[in-house]
Amino acid sequence: MAETLTAEAILAATEEVLRRYGPAKATVVDVAKALGVSHGSVYRHFPTKAALREAVTRRWLDDIHAHMAPAFDQGRTTAEVLRDWLQRLFDRKRRSHSEDLELFTTFKVLVAESSVVSAYHLECLVGQLTSIIAAGVETHEFVTDDVESTAQAVWDATLMFHHPAHAQEWGNPHVQEQFDAVVSLVVDGLRYNRVPSGTGDA
Amino acid sequence: MAETLTAEAILAATEEVLRRYGPAKATVVDVAKALGVSHGSVYRHFPTKAALREAVTRRWLDDIHAHMAPAFDQGRTTAEVLRDWLQRLFDRKRRSHSEDLELFTTFKVLVAESSVVSAYHLECLVGQLTSIIAAGVETHEFVTDDVESTAQAVWDATLMFHHPAHAQEWGNPHVQEQFDAVVSLVVDGLRYNRVPSGTGDA
DNA sequence: GGACTGACAGATTTCAATATCTGTCAGTCC
DNA sequence: GGACTGACAGATATTGAAATCTGTCAGTCC
């Protein structure tokens, strides 16, 4: 038996309870029961149920952020790095959706609950995109006058392949082709030798 | 009083009932009551409640399809036509969302109910996109080896600005900038003089 | 005879009572 | 004295009985 109740132990128990009962049924009392303490003790570490759920969500998202990391292998074009990063993100979300639908649904609800946490998630991943695009600008492979908003545009344009609202389409047999088509369009849009707007004749 | 009950009269009454009570509360009995007939009569024209709702939804979407029409003005580049088409679609959906949230929500529910109707909606609008991109290929302003799947890619890349799941973000003060950034990226991706993949140095 | 009604069976929804949960805090126990 | 308990008030969720709705169809009415 643990010396004293820690925030980490509560988070682990909460994750387990959420996995077992789902987001609609999981209660603070359940978490306390799993830990063998009274539910009042849980409130010494987290001020509200919402804060507890938010902390669990942040913990789960940080795991994604860590696994998505940079990935600037030597000898690859920035376009390849970008394509690979987007593909890895898509694969990770799609696998999570198909292999553990209940857990995926649980975290979809949790993320939707807190705009703070979803803003944090967005900031982390668009930040990674920004560093990739900045690298492309450095090598003159990409051109843009605003790296930040271009990174946001790449994020927005690929929404269908990372936003949980569209998860049901990830099972479609042609979704990989759709992904490739969108990413090709976006990568072409980032490339250096674009012509001045409105005079694109051969 | 009408001679005999028509499908059109039922559809109009259903729309009114949906507007008044919302999709969760609207019943076939309400529709019959509004028409001054027994609910059995409604079933002479529509086999099920679902079929009735689907017919109303299709009627509503057809109105959008008609208003979105081509728009190939003389003397504009295809890029401008495409940008204008996407902007008009976005404006229409955004206005509908901000000016009559209840009706917007009602039709969001109805469209989500029937995959047949939403597939129809998608087919109509991606069809219009296809004709725009085909025109751009004709004038050598755009290049693609598959007009159909490129049109689908443009649709998918602009998902955030036409899919009702993202309607809450349409109120964001920076959403027009995000729209412009995504559309610029996409239009640049469509332009003719793209370089061969993977050798984009200056 | 064909448009319409109204009663019906089974499915779904509503509503109010009952039970459970959240968040607090005075008090217990090392 | 600080970690923890357990009883409490108000808010939320569950439940099951009653009401309503969907879809059918035999029968009425012009």
Side-chain angles (χ1 to χ4, degrees), chain A residues 115-136:
Chain A
S115 61
V116 173
V117 171
S118 56
Y120 164 75
H121 181 56
L122 189 130
E123 197 187 340
C124 288
L125 292 182
V126 174
Q128 294 192 7
L129 264 180
T130 302
S131 70
I132 293 173
I133 290 170

Side-chain angles (χ1 to χ4, degrees), chain A residues 13 27 30 58 61 74 79 81 97 102 114 142 149 192-193 196:
Chain A
T27 72
D30 291 331
R58 196 176 283 264
L61 291 178
Q74 66 295 344
V81 172
H97 178 255
E102 264 188 59
S114 165
F142 298 157
S149 68
Y192 177 72
N193 58 334

Side-chain angles (χ1 to χ4, degrees), chain B residues 4-5 25 37-41 44:
Chain B
T4 182
L5 189 61
K25 293 284 181 71
V37 299
S38 84
H39 77 280
S41 299
R44 309 200 114 266

Side-chain angles (χ1 to χ4, degrees), chain B residues 90-181:
Chain B
F90 182 34
D91 286 345
R92 170 163 281 268
K93 297 228 175 181
R94 190 167 35 163
R95 190 163 355 96
S96 162
H97 178 254
S98 67
E99 289 179 6
D100 197 346
L101 184 55
E102 266 188 60
L103 193 66
F104 181 89
T105 308
T106 295
F107 279 104
K108 176 170 140 181
V109 170
L110 291 180
V111 170
E113 252 170 31
S114 164
S115 61
V116 173
V117 171
S118 56
Y120 163 75
H121 182 56
L122 190 132
E123 198 186 340
C124 287
L125 291 181
V126 174
Q128 294 190 9
L129 264 181
T130 301
S131 71
I132 294 172
I133 290 170
V137 170
E138 197 73 25
T139 64
H140 303 290
E141 202 185 336
F142 296 157
V143 137
T144 173
D145 52 357
D146 185 342
V147 176
E148 275 284 350
S149 67
T150 300
Q152 181 68 50
V154 171
W155 179 259
D156 291 340
T158 53
L159 203 65
M160 179 178 158
F161 310 104
H162 53 69
H163 197 293
H166 303 286
Q168 61 170 23
E169 301 185 55
W170 299 345
N172 184 301
H174 297 298
V175 74
Q176 181 62 48
E177 292 161 38
Q178 285 179 267
F179 174 86
D180 289 335

